[in-house]
């Protein structure tokens, strides 16, 4: 009763749980790439955006109907909550000369009045304007975009982002109702943010019920007891609501990685319960009373379950070394769930099993003879088995170097996710979501009008345009060249940068005074005009390609630009490109710390330095084997997979601890030889080991169905690791023990009676 009351008190914190929908949550506050990007955002207008990509069925944007649709959407988009700027081909501020005056006006003020010649003229301007082509108009005129810049207050982002997305989707629907011949795709940073929270919610709605069904089915098949299945499910439910409730009390937000916490807790809670129940049911079916069977199960399992709960919690808490806060939250919440499941397994489960009726079946379990046969095989062919495992482990680990650290954050979402589909379409037909931005200083207030600075800015932009990964470059130098041409009678020969600082400053002032509200140059120029922002739009690039491109840009700046223009690129793409490598480095430290702590726990708990050191081998090789197989079959490791080693270390230790605890019991209490102690361990705990491993693998394989790659990839690699861990504990650990543990008595021999019970 106390356990249930505690669970519901903890669960009351669930009302404080909120979904986070900001991609910045993947970066710690001290992350240098995040700090650089936030500095850029503070100096210039924020670049959070919603991008509508519109493709007419006739394949030509420049028709009166399509341009009217673009004009309608442009005006309507000003109503999107928190919008501060809307850009499209229709409201692009076209400039031209009229006598001695500079005229600045919308490129398409009234689409319905345009004749064929005027449409062709507009097409010519739009498809040759550097600020538009490959950004808001495709070179082939088949797709155009309406870009809405949004400045979220940040007061309540859980409501602000969905509000913007809902309004934008409604606008797209209304546009299609009026113009059914159009095709509309929505992407942008705000949609990216929203996709994270939608994936978290989707995973919790779909994966948790699937996992529950899998758990019930597996438990019924393996335990063959309705009472034991019911009791285990109760432990699972209480463990989950305790962990999620305490997460709410701790102010932890639900993110896509965090959304997998209930599934993980579910599988780990099953492991604790199954070890306890298998022994209990074996004793009951062997003819003992429920009370005696309970006492014996507690005597045998209390210490190993406590140790495995501690080591599993240590493994998950090693994720606190991760550079990505959502994985720290995941580790902490799962660790809480593991501890809770231990408490409920020891406090609630025994009481339930004494109260509930348990059917007394006679005879050994179905798998006991199989475990005995496997034990005999391992004992009698120990050298061959050890050689086989040595070859297998060495062979698989040799493929680990084939893994390449790489990521593409848009591909965190699979092709079932509308955001991914729309972003891929926009990348293929218009422009890219990936970008790099630079704040390039001129060295003094007003210095951006200096001809030398503008020339260098133009050279850097042109260098970027020559790079094959680049789709578009936005720079002030293009505007200055256009103004210089306009103010020389629109003579194309004057499409070049002004050669006098005063003249450039006058052009800029005249242009800024002519721009309408909301379309100023604050997104390109800082307040004292000592720096400008250069934006580069990219195709779909991997993290390695993005880092390599930015490195080449740095080389160009160092070789060609003055000190004031030395600046590192900043953007979400740059941030995500570096996070995988940073996370691997931080998790290497975390995994090492966890390994040391777990080794100390095992040495202390097993009261043997030699056995503790032997246990390290089967605990480490599964992750190496899994990454080797991954290198052979996939070859790419990203942000999510960088946490797998630390996370699985705590899980795979469980099987080793349970096997060793039974092995040492046989050696110390029964005085058996090493081979017979191996037989004893197989017989008493073998069934529980493969049962819990099957449940754990099933649980993590359920994550494979997540449309969020960080969860699906992590689930698959973790399941593979657990499978290899079982193989190592059945084939490698026993042979190592028989080869290295020869210091104790060899006086007794284990026998099994016809019913399969150890005597």
């Amino acid at each position: 009763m106390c356990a249930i009351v505690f669970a519901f008190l903890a669960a009351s914190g669930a009302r404080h749980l909120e979904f986070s929908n900001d991609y910045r949550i993947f970066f710690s506050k001290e992350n240098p790439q995040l700090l650089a990007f936030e500095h850029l955002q503070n100096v210039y207008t924020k670049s959070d955006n919603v991008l509508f990509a519109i493709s007419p069925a006739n394949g030509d944007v420049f028709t009166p109907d399509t341009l009217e649709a673009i004009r309608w959407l442009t005006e309507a988009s000003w109503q999107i909550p928190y919008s501060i700027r809307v850009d499209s081909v229709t409201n692009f501020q076209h400039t031209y000369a009229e006598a001695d005056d500079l005229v600045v006006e919308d490129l398409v003020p009234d689409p319905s009045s345009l004749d064929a010649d005027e449409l062709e003229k507009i097409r010519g301007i739009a498809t040759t304007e550097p600020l538009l082509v490959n950004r808001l108009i495709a070179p082939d005129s088949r797709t155009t975009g309406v870009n809405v810049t949004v400045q979220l207050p940040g007061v309540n982002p859980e409501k602000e982002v969905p509000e913007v997305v809902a309004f934008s989707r409604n606008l797209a629907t209304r546009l299609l109702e009026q113009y059914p011949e159009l095709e509309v795709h929505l992407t942008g940073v705000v949609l990216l943010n929203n996709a994270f929270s939608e994936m978290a919610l989707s995973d919790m709605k779909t994966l948790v019920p699937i996992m529950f069904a899998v758990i019930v089915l597996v438990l019924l098949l393996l335990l063959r007891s309705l009472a034991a299945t019911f009791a285990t499910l109760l432990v699972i439910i209480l463990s989950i609501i305790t962990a999620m409730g305490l997460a709410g009390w701790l102010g932890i937000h639900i993110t896509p990685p965090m959304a997998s916490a209930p599934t993980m807790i579910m599988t780990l809670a099953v492991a604790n319960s199954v070890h306890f129940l298998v022994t209990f049911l074996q004793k009951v079916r062997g003819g003992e009373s429920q009370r005696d069977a309970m006492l014996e199960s507690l005597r045998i399992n209390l210490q190993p379950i406590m140790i495995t709960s501690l080591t599993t919690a240590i493994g998950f808490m090693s994720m606190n070394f991760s550079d990505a806060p959502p994985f720290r939250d995941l580790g902490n919440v799962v660790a809480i769930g593991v501890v809770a499941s231990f408490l409920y397994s020891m406090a609630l489960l025994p009481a339930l099993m004494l109260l509930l009726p348990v059917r007394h079946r006679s005879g050994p379990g179905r798998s006991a003879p199989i475990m005995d046969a496997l034990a005999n095989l391992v004992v009698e062919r120990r050298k061959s088995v050890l050689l086989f495992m040595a070859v297998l482990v060495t062979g698989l680990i040799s493929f680990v170097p084939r893994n390449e650290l790489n990521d593409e954050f848009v591909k965190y979402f699979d092709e079932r996710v509308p955001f991914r589909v729309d972003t891929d379409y926009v990348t293929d037909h218009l422009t890219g979501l990936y970008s790099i931005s630079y704040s390039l200083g001129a060295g003094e207030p007003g210095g951006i009008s200096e001809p030398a600075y503008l020339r260098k800015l133009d050279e850097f932009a042109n260098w970027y345009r020559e790079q094959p990964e680049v789709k578009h470059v936005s720079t002030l130098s293009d505007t200055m060249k256009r103004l210089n041409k306009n103010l020389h009678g629109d003579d194309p020969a004057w499409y070049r940068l002004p050669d006098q600082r005063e003249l450039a400053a006058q052009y800029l002032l005249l242009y800024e005074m002519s721009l309408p509200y909301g379309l100023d140059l604050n997104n390109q120029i800082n307040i004292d005009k000592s720096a400008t922002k250069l934006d580069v739009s990219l195709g779909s690039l991997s993290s390695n390609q993005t880092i390599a491109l930015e490195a080449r840009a740095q080389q160009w700046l160092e070789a060609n630009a003055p000190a004031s223009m030395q600046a590192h690129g900043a953007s979400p793409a740059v941030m995500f490109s570096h996070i995988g490598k940073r996370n691997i480095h931080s998790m290497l430290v975390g995994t090492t710390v966890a390994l040391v702590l777990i080794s100390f726990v095992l040495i202390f708990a097993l009261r043997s330095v030699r056995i503790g050191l032997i246990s390290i081998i089967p605990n480490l090789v599964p992750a190496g084997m899994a990454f080797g197989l991954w290198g052979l079959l996939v070859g790419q490791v990203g942000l999510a997979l960088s946490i797998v080693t630390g996370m699985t270390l705590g899980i795979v230790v469980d099987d080793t601890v349970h096997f060793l605890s039974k092995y040492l019991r046989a050696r110390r209490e029964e005085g058996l030889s090493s081979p017979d102690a191996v037989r004893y361990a197989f017989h008493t705990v073998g069934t529980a080991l493969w049962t819990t491993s099957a449940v754990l693998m099933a649980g993590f394989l359920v994550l494979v169905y997540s449309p969020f790659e960080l969860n699906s990839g992590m689930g698959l690699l973790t399941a593979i690791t657990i499978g290899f861990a079982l193989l190592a504990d059945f084939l490698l650990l026993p042979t190592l023990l028989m080869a290295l543990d020869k210091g104790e008595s060899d006086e007794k021999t284990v026998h099994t009676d016809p019913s399969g019970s150890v005597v």
Side-chain angles (χ1 to χ4, degrees):
M1 184 58 72
C2 290
I4 293 175
V5 171
F6 171 75
F8 279 95
L9 283 176
S12 63
R15 65 181 185 275
H16 301 298
L17 287 173
E18 292 180 340
F19 287 90
S20 178
N21 43 26
D22 187 347
Y23 68 87
R24 293 176 181 83
I25 57 169
F26 280 90
F27 306 91
S28 59
K29 291 180 180 177
E30 60 274 14
N31 182 289
Q33 285 79 36
L34 174 63
L35 292 175
F37 183 61
E38 288 185 336
H39 174 71
L40 199 73
Q41 296 268 54
N42 291 333
V43 173
Y44 303 94
T45 304
K46 287 190 175 182
S47 58
D48 290 351
N49 70 317
V50 175
L51 177 61
F52 297 84
I54 299 108
S55 301
N58 65 2
D60 187 8
V61 167
F62 295 98
T63 65
D65 283 349
T66 300
L67 289 175
E68 177 57 30
I70 304 305
R71 188 199 61 78
W72 178 88
L73 182 61
T74 302
E75 293 185 2
S77 293
W78 283 102
Q79 303 304 315
I80 292 177
Y82 319 116
S83 61
I84 58 172
R85 183 184 181 103
V86 182
D87 291 289
S88 70
V89 290
T90 59
N91 77 343
F92 172 71
Q93 294 305 291
H94 175 53
T95 56
Y96 59 93
E98 197 168 81
D100 292 333
D101 295 329
L102 175 69
V103 178
V104 182
E105 63 180 19
D106 288 355
L107 179 59
V108 190
D110 183 10
S112 60
S113 64
L114 296 173
D115 58 27
D117 291 341
E118 289 170 322
L119 287 170
E120 283 307 306
K121 180 182 177 183
I122 291 171
R123 183 200 305 274
I125 294 170
T127 55
T128 56
E129 170 54 51
L131 289 176
L132 290 178
V133 68
N134 281 325
R135 175 170 171 260
L136 292 176
I137 184 69
D140 59 5
S141 304
R142 299 179 70 88
T143 303
T144 187
V146 175
N147 188 61
V148 185
T149 304
V150 173
Q151 191 159 27
L152 299 172
V155 177
N156 192 350
E158 290 75 21
K159 293 183 179 177
E160 293 163 4
V161 170
E163 185 182 0
V164 172
V165 171
F167 197 100
S168 302
R169 286 173 175 166
N170 183 48
L171 270 188
T173 302
R174 289 167 55 193
L175 179 70
L176 289 174
E177 287 173 353
Q178 297 178 59
Y179 303 93
E181 72 280 8
L182 298 180
E183 186 178 349
V184 181
H185 296 268
L186 272 170
T187 186
V189 175
V190 178
L191 274 295
L192 169 67
N193 282 337
N194 191 66
F196 280 116
S197 61
E198 286 186 338
M199 286 307 94
L201 187 61
S202 169
D203 275 6
M204 295 189 77
K205 282 184 176 177
T206 56
L207 301 186
V208 173
I210 293 173
M211 187 58 207
F212 249 105
V214 171
I215 291 285
V216 171
L217 184 63
V218 172
L219 288 175
L220 284 173
L221 287 173
L222 298 178
L223 297 177
R224 295 180 297 149
S225 166
L226 285 175
T229 302
F230 170 76
T232 304
L233 289 178
L234 190 58
V235 168
I236 291 171
I237 292 169
L238 293 180
S239 301
I240 292 174
I241 65 174
T242 299
M244 299 306 288
L246 290 177
W249 286 118
L250 293 172
I252 294 174
H253 286 193
I254 296 179
T255 57
M258 249 290 289
S260 60
T263 309
M264 293 184 181
I265 295 169
M266 206 180 301
T267 56
L268 296 167
V270 167
N272 278 347
S273 301
V274 164
H275 278 288
F276 171 78
L277 290 170
V278 165
T279 304
F280 170 76
L281 293 172
Q282 276 181 346
K283 298 296 179 185
V284 169
R285 289 164 184 164
E288 296 186 20
S289 68
Q290 287 185 225
R291 183 177 179 282
D292 291 343
M294 181 65 62
L295 290 173
E296 181 63 10
S297 182
L298 283 171
R299 189 182 77 84
I300 293 175
N301 291 299
L302 178 59
Q303 186 195 37
I305 291 178
M306 183 171 65
I307 296 170
T308 56
S309 297
L310 178 60
T311 53
T312 302
I314 290 172
F316 274 94
M317 291 188 73
S318 73
M319 292 163 69
N320 279 287
F321 285 85
S322 170
D323 205 51
F327 290 111
R328 300 178 197 167
D329 294 338
L330 173 65
N332 290 330
V333 172
V334 175
I336 292 172
V338 169
V339 174
S341 76
F342 167 72
L343 296 176
Y344 297 135
S345 297
M346 290 299 107
L348 181 64
L349 199 61
L352 279 174
M353 294 311 297
L354 289 178
L355 292 173
L356 295 171
V358 178
R359 189 176 174 185
H360 290 244
R361 298 169 186 264
S362 60
R366 293 170 185 169
S367 63
I370 299 174
M371 288 295 105
D372 292 338
L374 180 59
N376 287 329
L377 174 69
V378 171
V379 170
E380 292 167 8
R381 299 180 181 273
R382 69 191 75 169
K383 291 184 179 177
S384 301
V385 172
L386 182 59
L387 179 63
F388 165 75
M389 284 302 296
V391 172
L392 180 64
V393 170
T394 307
L396 284 176
I397 290 179
S398 68
F399 290 106
V400 171
R402 293 186 60 166
N403 286 301
E404 180 190 11
L405 174 61
N406 223 342
D407 248 338
E408 263 190 72
F409 70 87
V410 167
K411 292 183 179 175
Y412 287 171
F413 309 92
D414 74 13
E415 293 177 352
R416 291 171 288 174
V417 181
F419 168 75
R420 166 72 186 279
V421 175
D422 285 351
T423 301
D424 284 350
Y425 182 89
V426 173
T427 301
D428 292 340
H429 295 85
L430 182 61
T431 188
L433 180 64
Y434 296 79
S435 66
I436 302 179
S437 298
Y438 297 83
S439 178
L440 300 167
E444 59 176 324
I448 62 170
S449 299
E450 185 65 48
Y453 171 80
L454 289 172
R455 282 196 295 274
K456 200 57 68 179
L457 184 68
D458 199 46
E459 288 174 21
F460 188 45
N462 288 334
W463 175 85
Y464 246 126
R465 288 182 175 123
E466 293 171 357
Q467 308 310 305
E469 304 94 334
V470 173
K471 282 184 167 286
H472 179 262
V473 178
S474 175
T475 172
L476 178 69
S477 60
D478 289 334
T479 302
M480 296 303 294
K481 285 190 283 188
R482 177 159 51 88
L483 293 174
N484 197 30
K485 183 190 75 171
N486 295 148
L487 292 167
H488 285 85
D490 285 336
D491 183 354
W494 284 91
Y495 187 77
R496 60 181 189 240
L497 292 168
D499 54 8
Q500 296 177 33
R501 175 169 174 163
E502 292 72 17
L503 196 60
Q506 289 176 15
Y507 289 171
L508 195 57
L509 178 64
L510 182 62
Y511 181 59
E512 286 188 292
M513 292 178 64
S514 304
L515 291 172
Y517 174 78
L519 295 178
D520 54 38
L521 295 179
N522 290 338
N523 62 337
Q524 282 188 292
I525 302 174
N526 68 351
I527 292 177
D528 66 356
K529 293 184 170 49
S530 63
T532 66
K533 184 158 71 86
L534 182 140
D535 295 308
V536 183
S537 298
L538 310 169
S540 293
L541 298 186
S542 68
S543 58
N544 284 345
Q545 290 172 316
T546 305
I547 292 172
L549 177 62
E550 220 282 302
R552 298 205 307 272
Q554 290 303 310
Q555 290 175 357
W556 191 94
L557 287 172
E558 287 176 13
N560 300 285
S564 63
M565 296 183 75
Q566 301 299 323
H568 287 281
S571 69
V574 173
M575 291 155 58
F576 276 105
S577 296
H578 285 276
I579 188 68
K581 187 173 290 184
R582 288 176 61 84
N583 209 50
I584 282 182
H585 290 159
S586 58
M587 282 308 299
L588 280 176
V589 177
T591 304
T592 304
V593 171
L595 179 63
V596 171
L597 289 176
I598 289 172
S599 298
F600 273 118
V601 169
L602 293 182
I603 290 171
F604 176 76
L606 300 174
R607 291 177 292 151
S608 170
V609 175
R610 180 173 50 188
I611 298 297
L613 293 177
I614 291 174
S615 72
I616 294 175
I617 298 173
N619 291 336
L620 279 183
V621 297
M625 295 168 73
F627 273 98
L629 184 63
W630 195 267
L632 189 63
L633 301 178
V634 181
Q636 187 164 304
V637 176
L639 171 62
L641 303 189
S642 62
I643 65 164
V644 168
T645 303
M647 185 178 73
T648 56
L649 183 61
I651 300 174
V652 302
V653 167
D654 290 13
D655 285 353
T656 309
V657 169
H658 284 287
F659 192 94
L660 283 175
S661 69
K662 305 301 182 291
Y663 173 85
L664 290 175
R665 181 178 297 278
R667 295 280 278 162
R668 291 167 180 167
E669 294 184 8
E670 305 293 334
L672 299 181
S673 65
S674 180
D676 286 337
V678 166
R679 288 192 177 95
Y680 178 88
F682 266 105
H683 183 83
T684 52
V685 81
T687 299
L689 291 190
W690 80 259
T691 302
T692 54
S693 296
V695 172
L696 286 168
M697 291 177 69
F700 282 97
L701 283 174
V702 167
L703 294 179
V704 173
Y705 292 98
S706 169
F708 191 60
E709 192 274 341
L710 292 189
N711 289 345
S712 60
M714 178 178 65
L716 179 58
L717 188 58
T718 302
I720 293 172
T721 305
I722 293 170
F724 280 132
L726 182 65
L727 192 68
D729 283 315
F730 275 173
L731 301 184
L732 183 60
L733 178 60
T735 51
L736 286 174
L737 289 170
M738 287 184 282
L740 302 175
D741 182 33
K742 297 179 178 177
E744 299 191 26
S745 65
D746 189 19
E747 297 176 352
K748 296 184 180 180
T749 302
V750 68
H751 300 283
T752 56
D753 64 13
S755 67
S757 301
V758 174
V759 297

